[in-house]
Amino acid sequence: MLSHAIHSYCDWNLTWHTENPDFTQCFQNTVLVWIPCIYLWACFPVYFLYLRCHDRGYIQMSNLNKAKTALGLILWIVCWADLFYSFWERSQNFFLISPTVLGITMLLATFLIQYERMKGVQSSGVMTIFWLISLLCATVIFRSKIILALNMGAEVDAFRYVTFCTYFILLLVQLILCCFPEQPPLFSETVNDPKPCPEFSASFLSRITFWWITGLMIQGYRRPLEAKDLWSLNKEDTSEEIVPGLARNWAKEWAKTKRQPLSMLYSSKKQQKSDSNGDVTEEAEALIIKPSQKNYEASLFKVLYKTFGPYFLMSFLFKAAHDLLMFTGPEILKLLINFVNDKHAPNWQGYFYTGLLFVCACLQTLILHQYFHICFVTGMRLKTAIVGVIYRKALVITNSARKTSTVGEIVNLMSVDAQRFMDLATYINMIWSAPLQVILALYLLWRNLGPSVLAGVAVMILLVPINAVMAMKTKTYQKAQMKSKDNRIKLMNEILNGIKVLKLYAWELAFREKVLEIRQKELKVLKKSAYLAAMATFTWVCAPFLVALSTFAVYVKIDKNNVLDAQKAFVSLALFNILRFPLNMLPMVISSIVEASVSLKRLRVFLSHEELDPDSIIRRPTADAEGSIIVKNATFSWSRNDPPSLKSINFTVPEGSLIAVVGQVGCGKSSLLSALLGEMDKKEGHVVVKGSVAYVPQQAWVQNATLKENIIFGREMNESRYKRVIEACALLPDIEILPTGDRTEIGEKGVNLSGGQKQRVSLARAVYCNADVYLFDDPLSAVDAHVGKHIFEKVIGPKGILKNKTRVLVTHAVNYLPQMDTILVMSDGEISEMGSYQELLKQDGAFAEFLRTYANAEQSMENSDANSPSGKEGKPVENGVIVNEAPGKLIIFNRQLSNSSTYSRETGKSQHQSSTAELQKPLAEKNSWKLTEADTAKTGRVKATVYWDYMKAIGLFISFLSIFLFMCNHVASLASNYWLSLWTDDPVINGTQQYTNVRLGVYGALGISQGIAVFGYSMVVSIGGIFASRHLHLNLLHNVLRSPMSFFERTPSGNLVNRFSKEIDTIDSTIPPIIKMFMGSTFNVIGACIIILLATPIAAVIIPPLGLVYLFVQRFYVATSRQLKRLESVSRSPVYSHFNETLLGVSVIRAFEEQKRFIKQNDMKVDENQKAYYPSIVANRWLAVRLEYVGNCIVLFAALFAVIARNKLSPGLVGLSVSYSLQITAYLNWLVRMSSELETNIVAVERVKEYAEMEKEAEWSIEQTAPASTWPEEGKVEFRGYGLRYREDLDLVLKNINVTINGGEKIGIVGRTGAGKSSLTLGLFRINEAAEGEIIIDGINIAKIGLHDLRFKITIIPQDPILFSGSLRMNLDPFDQHSDEDIWRSLELAHLKNFVSALPDKLNHECAEGGENLSVGQRQLVCLARALLRKSKILVLDEATAAVDLETDNLIQSTIKSQFEECTVLTIAHRLNTIMDYTRVLVLDRGEVVECGSPDSLLQEKGIFYSMAKDSGLV
C-alpha cells in the first residue's frame, strides 16, 4: 500500500530517467500547490508584527492598488470555483484540500496588500517573492497540462483547464504589478524634501539589485558630481534620529553605575611647565579608584547592541544563507562531472544543472550584497552616533576631565575610533561564519576524499600560526614606522612654521639632513615590513596549492586503488578555494576585534568623565532688588579632589555697577570669573547670577566663519545695534581694510586677524548679545593703548554702551581704576580688600602696593613710546596684518588708525600702503574672496603620465622585471592545473592509474616554481615601492625647501604637511600592495578566460562581449565613485575642524548658553559627510552586483558549452573549466575594487609631483661667482637705485634707494608702519629679489652670488625668536661648526650662561616645539647668542625688542655695543631711545628715504624724525 502511495506521489521513471521529465498528478496537486501557501503563512506572523511596529504613514488608494486587490479577490474566487466543482464531482480528497488551502492563502494575500498600503509600504519583498514562487510552481503544472492535452488519447477536464489557465494568467499579472512601487505615503518627509533618496520609493526588484542609484551613476559619468547632486539622507540615518537613541541608552546604563559612586581622582602630573605668561599649566591624569565591592561597569557594548542590534540581526540571516549557498557550487560541479562521465544520461539533466548553477550563483550575489549593505549602513550609523555622543559629551565635561584628554585625543576618538567600529561592522559576522564555513568545507571534503583530507588541513593549520606571527611582527614594524613618521611630520611642521628663519640663516641643508636621517630610519623599517609582506603574499598565494598537493599526494600514496579522477580533484580544489578565505580572514577579524575593544574602552572612559553640575550656580531672571551677582562664603576648586583655588569669597554686585578685579599674576582673578560661569567645582556656599551672561575670555576665541557671524553669534540680526557695536569696539577701520568687509571669512583660530583684532571681535560678540551681566577677562591687554582707551570709554566705562549693565572687569590697566564703582583686590585666591579707589588708597594695603609695581612699569612704558604695544603679562601684541587672496593678487593691508600708527608685529607678510582704490573693490570681487589657496581636488581620470612617473621612480628595469615575474607565476599556476586535468583523465587499468609518481612529481615541481615566482615578484614590487618612495620624498623635500618665501605665504602649511604625511604615507605603504593585488587579479582573470577557451573554444564568441560589458560598467562606476570619495573627504574635514573649534571655545559656548545651536551645527556637518558616504557604499554594491552577474554569465556559459560539447570533452577539462569559472566572480570583483583603489591612491604621486614644478628661488651656491671665504672684510653696504616689489603686478614697495653705509657704522632705520623698513632687510637677504638697481657689499653685487653664500655672511636677529625642537646646541649651531668653548662664550655674552648651566642637560637641554619651554625673553637671547656665534661683519636687528621687557632690552643693546664694535649694524628701531646714540638714522616713508643723518642733526631739522621722537616723549 505504502509503496503504491509513494509511487503515485513520485515516479522516478516518469520524473528523472527519461528524455521528457514530468511530475505525477498527485505530486502536482499537493506539493506544488502547497509550497507557496506554506511560505506565506510562515512569513505572516513575523511580517505582520514588523509592519505594526514600522508605520511609514498611510498611502491613498491608487489604481495600482485597486487592481492588485481585485486580482487577489478574483484569484480567491477561481480557487473556490474549483473547490465547488470538486464537491459537485465528489472526487478524490486532494481535489478538496488544495483549492481550500489555496483560496484561504489568496485571501490572506489580499489582506496583506491592503495592510501594507495602510502602513505605507511602497513595494513589498514578501509579496513579490510569494507571487514568484506561486508562478514557478504553476508553470510546472501548466507545462504538464499542455503535454497531457497534446497527448491525443487522454481525456481532458475542460472546466479545470479553464480555471487553471485563468489562475496562471492572473498570477503572472499580479507578479508584474508587484514590480511597480506605490506612490509615497501621505505626510511623509519625502514630500517636502528637495532631493529625497529614491531608495524607499523604489520597487523591491530595484532595491535588491540597487537599480535605484543608476540615475546618480549616469549623472556622475556625464560630469563630475557636486555636493548639490547628492540626495538627502534617509530619515533613519540622520543624526537627529540616531544620536538621541544612543544617548538615551547610554544614560540609562550610566545611571546604573551612578548608584555606586565611582571615585575618580585627577592627580596632576608632576612637572609643571611654566608658560611664558607665567601661569602654571597642569596636566592631569584620571585615576579611577576601585571601591572595595565589585563595581558594576557601564558596558558600552551593551548600549551599542541595544541601539543597533535589531537592524544588524538581519545580516545574520543573510550571511548564513549565503554561506550555505556557497557550497552548492562545488556540489553541482560534482554532478556536472558525473553527468559528463555518464554517456547515457539524458541531455536535459546537463541543462538543468547548468541552470541550477546559474540560479544559485545569482541568489548568492543578491543575498551577499544585501548582507554587505546592512553591515555598511550599520557601520555608518555607528559612526554618526559615536561622533554625536562624543560631541555632546565634550560640551558638558568638567575642566579637570578635559585636561586628561587633549584636544587631539578627543578628535582621534571621533576619527580613528569611530572608523574602527565602522570597519568592524562589516567583519564581525565572520566570527561565527568563518568556523561554520570551515566545518562545512571539511565535511564535504571528507565525503569526497576520506581521511587524506587531514594532510591538507594540517598544512592549513600550520600556516595559521605562521601568518599570525607575521601579523604580530608587521604590527611592531608599523608602530616603529608610525613613530618615525610622527617625528618626521613634527619636524616638517616646525620647518614649515619657521621657514623664514631657515632661509635667513641659510640652514635649509642642515634641516634637510635631519629630515632625511629620520626618513632613513623609516625606510629601514619599511624594508623589513616589505620582506614580511613578501613572505605573507607567498604563503597566501601558495597555501591553496600546498594544501592540494599534500592532500592529493597522501590520497594517491595511501592506497594503490585510490584513483584521482576529475570529480575528486576539481571538487576538492573548489572546496579548498572556499576554505582559503575564512582561514585568512580569521586573524584579520580577531585583530580588528581587539582594536575595536581598545577603542571601546577609550570611548567608555571618555563618556564616563565627570560632568559639570548645572545647578551649582543659580541663574535667575532679574527681579529682586538685592544685587545682580551675590556670592556668599563660597569656596571653589578646579576639580572635586583639588585643594580649593578660591576660598571663602563674599561679595555682592549691585545691578548696573562696574567692578574691577585686580591683583598680581596668578592670584585667581580669571578663576573668579570661571567660578561665576559655573566652570569650577563649588565646594560650599551660595552663588546667584541674575539674568543672562556674556563673557569675554582672556584668550579671544574666534570661529572659522565670517566676521559678522562671529559677532552676531546666532542671535537675531539688528542692523542699527550691530553698527553701534562695531563702532564702539573700534572695528570700523578693520572692516574697511578687510577685503570683503564684515563678510570676510576668518581663518581657523582667527589666523588672518591680529591679536588685538581678535580680542575686539570677541568683545563685540559679547556687547552685541545684550546680556544682563558682563564678565570681561582682561580684554584690554591685547590691544594698543589708544585703542584700549577708546574701548573703555565707548563700551566698558561709565559712559559706554553698557553703562546700565552689570560689568565685572579683570584688568591690569591702572589708569582706569579711578572710574570704577568698586574694586576687588585678590591675593592667593581670596579677596583681600574691597572698596572704591579712594578708600583703598587710604588703607595702604595690598592694593597700594599693586599700584606702585604697576605704575612704575606704566611710567617707563609711557616714556619709551606712545605707540608701543601695551604688552602686559608678557602678551605679544599683534596688530595689523591681513593676507588677501583676491583673484590673482596678494596684497597685505595694515590697519591705519586716525592719528597714530600701530606697529606691525609680523614682518614677513609684506607691508603695502593701502590706496583708497584698493579699498573700494568691485562687489563681484568682494564675494569671491577666500583666505588662501584651498587644497584642490583634481577631477577627471588620472593621466597615464602619472603611472609612467611612478614607474620611472621605481626604475624601469624593476618595473618590467616585476611584470615578467607575474607572468611566470601565472603561467606556472595554469600549467599545474592543466596538468592536474590531464592526470585525472589518465585511463584506469585494473583499478589503478599508471604514472602516478611522474604526475605527482611534475605537479609538485610546477607548484614550487609558482612559489618562487610569487616570492620574486612580491620582493621586487616591495623593494621597487621603497625606491619610489625614497625618490619621491627626496624630490618633494628638496623642492619645497627650494621654494621662495612667497610660496609659503600663499600655501597653507596644512596642505604642505598633508603632502608630507598623507600622500607620502600612501606612496610608502598603500600603493605597493595595491599594485600587487591589481596585477594578481588581472592575471587571474586572464588565466581563467584562457582555460575556459582551451576547454570550450566556442566560448570565444561570448567572452569579448562580456568583457566589454564589464569595462563599460567599470568605467561608469569609477567616474562616480572617485568623485563621491572626493566629496566625502572634502566634507569630512569640517566635522573635525568644527569640533576642534568647539573644544577651544567650550567655556564661551557655555557662558552664552549656545550649546543647542552648536550641537545642531555638528549634526548638520556629520550628515553632510554621510550624505556623500551613503551613495558611495551603495555605488560599491551596485557595481558588485553588476559585475557578479557578468561573472555568473561566464559560469553559465562555461557550463553550458561543456554540456553541449560533452561528447568531445574529457571530464578533466570540464572540471578545470567550470572550477576556474566559479572563481572568476571573486576575481572580477576584486579587480574593479583594486583598479579604482589604484586610481584613487596613485593621485598621491600626482600631488607630490605637483610641487616639483613650482617656481624656485635662485641657486643656493654658484661655483663661478662664489666670493672669498673672508668676504665681507669691511662690511660696506651700498644701495644703488634700489627698488623692490612683492609680485610682478604690484607697485614698488621700495623705490630708488641710494644709500652707502660704511663698514662699522651703526644705522637705525625708522618710519611709520608700512614705510618699508622690513622690506629693506628682505631685500638685503634676497628673500625678495630686486626689481631695479642693486645692492653691493664690499664691491660684490649680491644678486650675482648664490643665496647661501650671501646669507651665511650676514646675520639677523629676527623679530619673532623662533627655536626648533632639538637640543639647545642644535639651535645655536646646526652644522656643528663650532667648539663647545665658543658656544659657552657666546652664551655668556648673551647673559644666558647662568641659566643654561643650571639646566640638568646644559647644552643638550631639549627645547620644546617652537621653544615653548623657554620664555620669550630667553628665546630672544638665544637668537642673540646665535648672532654672536656667527660673528659676521654685518648684523641686522629687526624690531627685536618688541616682545622683550626693558631689562632684557638693555642687556641686548649693551652686548651689541660691546661685541659688534667693528661690525656694520642695521637696526629696525621700535623704541627710538635705543638708536639715539647710533651714527646715522635712515627715515623711510612710503618706500623712499626721506631723511638721513645723525640723530641730533635730524632733530634739528624738525622733520618726520622729530615728530616721531616727540610722540615718544623723547623731546
Side-chain angles (χ1 to χ4, degrees), residues 1384-1399:
W1384 278 109
R1385 200 165 59 254
S1386 69
L1387 285 174
E1388 184 174 4
L1389 294 169
H1391 307 278
L1392 276 171
K1393 188 172 180 181
N1394 299 342
F1395 167 71
V1396 177
S1397 41
L1399 293 169

Side-chain angles (χ1 to χ4, degrees), residues 1095-1283:
T1096 52
I1098 189 175
V1101 183
I1102 210 72
I1103 283 179
L1106 283 175
L1108 282 175
V1109 170
Y1110 170 81
L1111 279 175
F1112 174 68
V1113 165
Q1114 193 245 20
R1115 279 262 56 91
F1116 216 74
Y1117 159 79
V1118 169
T1120 306
S1121 128
R1122 192 188 316 116
Q1123 217 36 39
L1124 283 172
K1125 217 172 183 150
R1126 280 184 189 140
L1127 287 174
E1128 196 260 335
S1129 62
V1130 166
S1131 63
R1132 191 172 339 129
S1133 16
V1135 177
Y1136 300 145
S1137 40
H1138 176 243
F1139 186 61
N1140 247 332
E1141 216 168 59
T1142 307
L1143 286 176
L1144 291 171
V1146 71
S1147 54
V1148 177
I1149 295 171
R1150 288 198 283 240
F1152 283 92
E1153 296 186 316
E1154 286 285 312
Q1155 293 98 318
K1156 284 236 169 52
R1157 182 167 69 94
F1158 274 81
I1159 287 175
K1160 204 164 177 173
Q1161 267 183 2
N1162 179 60
D1163 284 355
M1164 269 169 53
K1165 287 186 159 60
V1166 172
D1167 288 349
E1168 268 310 301
N1169 183 22
Q1170 300 295 34
K1171 238 164 84 170
Y1173 178 70
Y1174 185 66
S1176 75
I1177 51 182
V1178 178
N1180 277 338
R1181 302 281 68 82
W1182 179 90
L1183 170 82
V1185 170
R1186 304 289 173 282
L1187 289 189
E1188 287 196 17
Y1189 268 93
V1190 172
N1192 296 342
C1193 287
I1194 291 179
V1195 175
L1196 170 72
F1197 288 117
L1200 189 64
F1201 292 143
V1203 171
I1204 291 171
R1206 67 191 266 213
N1207 299 327
K1208 301 193 205 67
L1209 284 184
S1210 64
L1213 269 176
V1214 173
L1216 183 66
S1217 136
V1218 176
S1219 68
Y1220 257 100
S1221 71
L1222 280 174
Q1223 276 175 292
I1224 207 165
T1225 330
Y1227 289 144
L1228 280 179
N1229 234 334
W1230 202 230
L1231 183 59
V1232 163
R1233 281 274 281 291
M1234 284 304 118
S1235 59
S1236 67
E1237 283 281 293
L1238 188 58
E1239 257 203 54
T1240 319
N1241 286 305
I1242 204 85
V1243 174
V1245 177
E1246 185 178 31
R1247 294 177 69 162
V1248 167
K1249 295 291 275 191
E1250 212 180 340
Y1251 282 155
E1253 281 93 56
M1254 293 285 176
E1255 46 165 346
K1256 300 284 167 284
E1257 55 183 3
E1259 286 301 318
W1260 278 343
S1261 56
I1262 305 171
E1263 288 291 321
Q1264 300 79 2
T1265 58
S1269 57
T1270 53
W1271 175 90
E1273 284 160 9
E1274 188 188 347
K1276 177 178 177 190
V1277 184
E1278 300 176 65
F1279 290 88
R1280 298 184 183 166
Y1282 185 74

Side-chain angles (χ1 to χ4, degrees), residues 491 495 511-519 1033 1037:
L491 183 62
I495 289 179
F511 277 84
R512 190 180 116 178
E513 286 319 303
K514 281 185 70 176
V515 174
L516 290 180
E517 199 180 309
I518 299 177
R519 179 73 178 153
H1033 176 262
L1037 179 63

Side-chain angles (χ1 to χ4, degrees), residues 1187-1451:
L1187 289 189
E1188 287 196 17
Y1189 268 93
V1190 172
N1192 296 342
C1193 287
I1194 291 179
V1195 175
L1196 170 72
F1197 288 117
L1200 189 64
F1201 292 143
V1203 171
I1204 291 171
R1206 67 191 266 213
N1207 299 327
K1208 301 193 205 67
L1209 284 184
S1210 64
L1213 269 176
V1214 173
L1216 183 66
S1217 136
V1218 176
S1219 68
Y1220 257 100
S1221 71
L1222 280 174
Q1223 276 175 292
I1224 207 165
T1225 330
Y1227 289 144
L1228 280 179
N1229 234 334
W1230 202 230
L1231 183 59
V1232 163
R1233 281 274 281 291
M1234 284 304 118
S1235 59
S1236 67
E1237 283 281 293
L1238 188 58
E1239 257 203 54
T1240 319
N1241 286 305
I1242 204 85
V1243 174
V1245 177
E1246 185 178 31
R1247 294 177 69 162
V1248 167
K1249 295 291 275 191
E1250 212 180 340
Y1251 282 155
E1253 281 93 56
M1254 293 285 176
E1255 46 165 346
K1256 300 284 167 284
E1257 55 183 3
E1259 286 301 318
W1260 278 343
S1261 56
I1262 305 171
E1263 288 291 321
Q1264 300 79 2
T1265 58
S1269 57
T1270 53
W1271 175 90
E1273 284 160 9
E1274 188 188 347
K1276 177 178 177 190
V1277 184
E1278 300 176 65
F1279 290 88
R1280 298 184 183 166
Y1282 185 74
L1284 176 77
R1285 57 163 60 102
Y1286 283 107
R1287 283 235 306 269
E1288 306 300 313
D1289 47 359
L1290 301 183
D1291 302 339
L1292 289 172
V1293 195
L1294 293 176
K1295 24 195 184 294
N1296 54 17
I1297 293 195
N1298 288 297
V1299 180
T1300 303
I1301 299 167
N1302 297 317
E1305 276 198 294
K1306 308 282 178 284
I1307 301 282
I1309 304 173
V1310 297
R1312 303 246 180 233
T1313 308
K1317 306 187 294 292
S1318 303
S1319 311
L1320 205 57
T1321 54
L1322 295 182
L1324 191 59
F1325 281 90
R1326 284 177 60 199
I1327 295 286
N1328 292 72
E1329 299 288 350
E1332 54 190 45
E1334 52 193 14
I1335 302 180
I1336 298 204
I1337 298 183
D1338 278 10
I1340 291 183
N1341 180 351
I1342 62 167
K1344 297 279 188 286
I1345 59 176
L1347 289 178
H1348 280 186
D1349 297 334
L1350 166 70
R1351 293 174 185 167
F1352 268 129
K1353 303 294 184 175
I1354 322 176
T1355 305
I1356 185 168
I1357 300 183
Q1359 183 188 19
D1360 331 312
I1362 291 188
L1363 300 189
F1364 298 97
S1365 59
S1367 65
L1368 195 57
R1369 200 207 146 99
M1370 193 281 313
N1371 266 302
L1372 291 170
D1373 174 28
F1375 287 102
D1376 274 336
Q1377 293 164 330
H1378 302 273
S1379 65
D1380 279 12
E1381 290 81 67
D1382 292 348
I1383 292 181
W1384 278 109
R1385 200 165 59 254
S1386 69
L1387 285 174
E1388 184 174 4
L1389 294 169
H1391 307 278
L1392 276 171
K1393 188 172 180 181
N1394 299 342
F1395 167 71
V1396 177
S1397 41
L1399 293 169
D1401 301 334
K1402 307 222 169 8
L1403 283 179
N1404 293 327
H1405 172 70
E1406 276 295 311
C1407 300
E1409 198 169 329
E1412 296 283 317
N1413 52 359
L1414 300 177
S1415 72
V1416 182
Q1418 286 166 334
R1419 281 183 249 167
Q1420 197 74 59
L1421 292 176
V1422 171
C1423 291
L1424 176 64
R1426 274 180 199 164
L1428 290 163
L1429 201 56
R1430 279 172 84 145
K1431 201 72 177 160
S1432 57
K1433 269 294 187 197
I1434 300 175
L1435 174 71
V1436 180
L1437 277 170
D1438 184 0
E1439 287 190 2
T1441 48
V1444 183
D1445 53 289
L1446 299 176
E1447 197 180 353
T1448 320
D1449 191 22
N1450 294 336
L1451 287 180

Side-chain angles (χ1 to χ4, degrees), residues 932-933 1046-1056 1251 1254:
T932 35
E933 295 178 356
S1046 56
F1047 167 74
F1048 295 98
E1049 279 157 12
R1050 254 199 335 264
T1051 316
S1053 64
N1055 290 7
L1056 284 166
Y1251 282 155
M1254 293 285 176

Side-chain angles (χ1 to χ4, degrees), residues 295-315:
N295 189 0
Y296 174 80
E297 229 174 32
S299 149
L300 186 57
F301 179 75
K302 217 151 109 191
V303 173
L304 289 175
Y305 175 75
K306 246 195 201 148
T307 320
F308 301 107
Y311 177 73
F312 190 64
L313 274 174
M314 297 269 293
S315 69

Side-chain angles (χ1 to χ4, degrees), residues 1438-1512:
D1438 184 0
E1439 287 190 2
T1441 48
V1444 183
D1445 53 289
L1446 299 176
E1447 197 180 353
T1448 320
D1449 191 22
N1450 294 336
L1451 287 180
I1452 293 179
Q1453 291 300 335
S1454 60
T1455 306
I1456 288 172
K1457 281 194 187 78
S1458 60
Q1459 290 308 309
F1460 293 98
E1461 196 65 52
E1462 280 86 61
C1463 306
T1464 312
V1465 181
L1466 303 173
T1467 304
I1468 292 183
H1470 189 114
R1471 301 178 175 156
L1472 293 188
N1473 54 357
T1474 54
I1475 56 159
M1476 281 316 206
D1477 50 358
Y1478 277 24
T1479 358
R1480 279 193 292 166
V1481 175
L1482 289 183
V1483 184
L1484 290 176
D1485 190 38
R1486 310 213 160 196
E1488 299 180 62
V1489 178
V1490 283
E1491 300 175 17
C1492 176
S1494 67
D1496 299 336
S1497 63
L1498 289 182
L1499 285 176
Q1500 249 76 67
E1501 282 178 27
K1502 305 244 162 145
I1504 292 184
F1505 185 67
Y1506 174 77
S1507 65
M1508 287 174 80
K1510 194 168 172 196
D1511 283 354
S1512 309

